[in-house]
Amino acid sequence: MDKAMVPLLILLTSVLGYGVARRLWQVDRASLARAWHRAMELLGCWALVYLANLFVGATFILLIRLLTDHFVSLYVLGSIMLILWSVLQALVFYFLWRERQ
Amino acid sequence: MPVGNQQSMPINSDSRWQRLLRLVGLLSVLCVLLGAYTPLPNLLARALAVSSRVQPADAIVVLGASVHRDGTLSDQSLRRTVQGILLYRQGLAPLLVLSGTSYEGSPVESEVRAHLARQLGIPAKAILLEREAQTTAEEASNIARTLRQHKVQRVLLVSDALHLARAVPRFEREGLTVLPVAADGLPADTDSPDKRLSLLIHALREAVGRWLYRWGG
């Protein structure tokens, strides 16, 4: 039951949220599908930005190690801050891209 | 007509991007769901992890993890150190090699470990320290160099089960006979979504590390 708690909570608040949105904003199922697509685009944008940060970061660290006496651990790329900064970057890039459309 | 063509080009281009981003987004969701709610991370960890082979050897090598700035060992480091001390106290080898450097102003990990080992009854003359190595590869080459001077051939290598998958081949490449000892057991029985995701990230990181070591030497 403990493990099912979070998925059930998300299901419940999603259904409630959709119900409220239908009443307040008169949205239909097509709007929900479009919102899902946008959410996936945004998430995809974050994933690509995060992977790019990991790749550039790893290359940068290996170059620092190769060209200088300074040691930087690859473990710094596991920082939660990299994920959070990547979210901000992805939001900006995504809306910049949407702006162009 | 030329105007229509000019307008349609960016729209097609954006549609391709939209499809790509949606696909990547969907794959990300699937990865998280598979990682959190299926035994995939457990299977991956089981495939990567190295099982212990505890037998008498010439030396016990405890690989570094990390130490906090206040001088307390991290959980990982403490677990490995205690495992090394237990192996020594079982009489499995006459030498205990403790590895670990200083991290961003912290005390030297191997010295903190040696202090603990002495307090737990390990004679100072049985302890060797590796203070400089920053990576597993450096630990392997530095420790192998030291052990050659002591005519050591066969070592009990203590680390985490997943890290051993990367460390064992690196020490073997230095000409040592390696008996792995996992300080944390096989992390394969985790079944909560959070721990599974954490295990998946750990296993993927070690898999990439192993690949880099094989590729980069």
Side-chain angles (χ1 to χ4, degrees), chain A residues 17-70:
Chain A
Y18 180 59
V20 170
R22 282 194 75 156
R23 272 181 183 277
L24 288 183
W25 306 321
Q26 282 81 44
V27 294
D28 54 9
R29 282 186 184 175
S31 308
L32 183 64
R34 279 194 298 276
W36 171 258
H37 285 157
R38 295 282 176 274
M40 287 302 106
E41 287 167 15
L42 193 48
L43 192 59
C45 187
W46 167 76
L48 290 180
V49 168
Y50 182 59
L51 285 175
N53 277 330
L54 285 181
F55 180 76
V56 173
T59 309
F60 194 51
I61 286 172
L62 293 176
L63 278 175
I64 289 172
R65 285 195 201 173
L66 196 71
L67 302 175
T68 73
D69 290 336
H70 197 68

Side-chain angles (χ1 to χ4, degrees), chain B residues 3-212:
Chain B
V3 172
N5 283 340
Q6 278 168 3
Q7 282 176 340
S8 68
M9 277 175 69
I11 290 169
N12 286 338
S13 164
D14 284 343
S15 296
R16 273 202 303 276
W17 273 104
Q18 273 176 322
R19 280 198 296 272
L20 174 72
L21 290 181
R22 279 177 203 166
L23 181 68
V24 175
L26 196 62
L27 285 174
S28 306
V29 172
L30 281 176
C31 284
V32 170
L33 290 178
L34 283 174
Y37 295 106
T38 73
L40 180 74
N42 309 63
L43 295 172
L44 184 63
R46 208 171 288 151
L48 281 173
V50 172
S51 304
S52 297
R53 282 194 293 140
V54 181
Q55 291 170 21
D58 304 323
I60 300 154
V61 176
V62 183
L63 295 181
S66 63
V67 62
H68 303 297
R69 279 190 187 171
D70 64 1
T72 53
L73 296 171
S74 67
D75 291 351
Q76 215 175 16
S77 179
L78 184 62
R79 211 168 39 229
R80 293 181 192 178
T81 310
V82 169
Q83 181 69 63
I85 291 168
L86 287 174
L87 292 170
Y88 181 88
R89 293 191 70 108
Q90 287 166 28
L92 287 162
L95 277 177
L96 180 61
V97 185
L98 299 170
S99 180
T101 187
S102 172
Y103 310 90
E104 295 181 342
S106 76
V108 177
E109 184 187 4
S110 53
E111 289 173 2
V112 177
R113 287 172 144 183
H115 181 67
L116 175 67
R118 284 194 298 274
Q119 283 187 318
L120 292 173
I122 309 295
K125 64 178 182 192
I127 301 171
L128 295 176
L129 300 186
E130 167 46 49
R131 295 182 178 87
E132 303 297 327
Q134 305 265 20
T135 65
T136 307
E138 287 176 8
E139 283 182 303
S141 60
N142 293 3
I143 291 171
R145 197 180 314 125
T146 306
L147 290 180
R148 274 194 284 273
Q149 292 164 6
H150 287 79
K151 309 273 185 254
V152 167
Q153 176 57 42
R154 193 175 156 92
V155 297
L156 284 158
L157 187 65
V158 182
S159 189
D160 296 344
L162 285 172
H163 181 229
L164 281 167
R166 177 157 56 103
V168 170
R170 198 63 193 72
F171 274 77
E172 284 175 340
R173 204 185 300 172
E174 296 292 335
L176 293 165
T177 304
V178 180
L179 300 165
V181 182
D184 61 345
L186 289 177
D189 298 328
T190 291
D191 66 348
S192 84
D194 296 23
K195 286 181 181 167
R196 273 185 173 154
L197 276 180
S198 169
L199 180 63
L200 180 66
I201 291 166
H202 190 175
L204 287 176
R205 201 171 59 194
E206 286 302 331
V208 170
R210 198 172 165 183
W211 177 78
L212 279 175

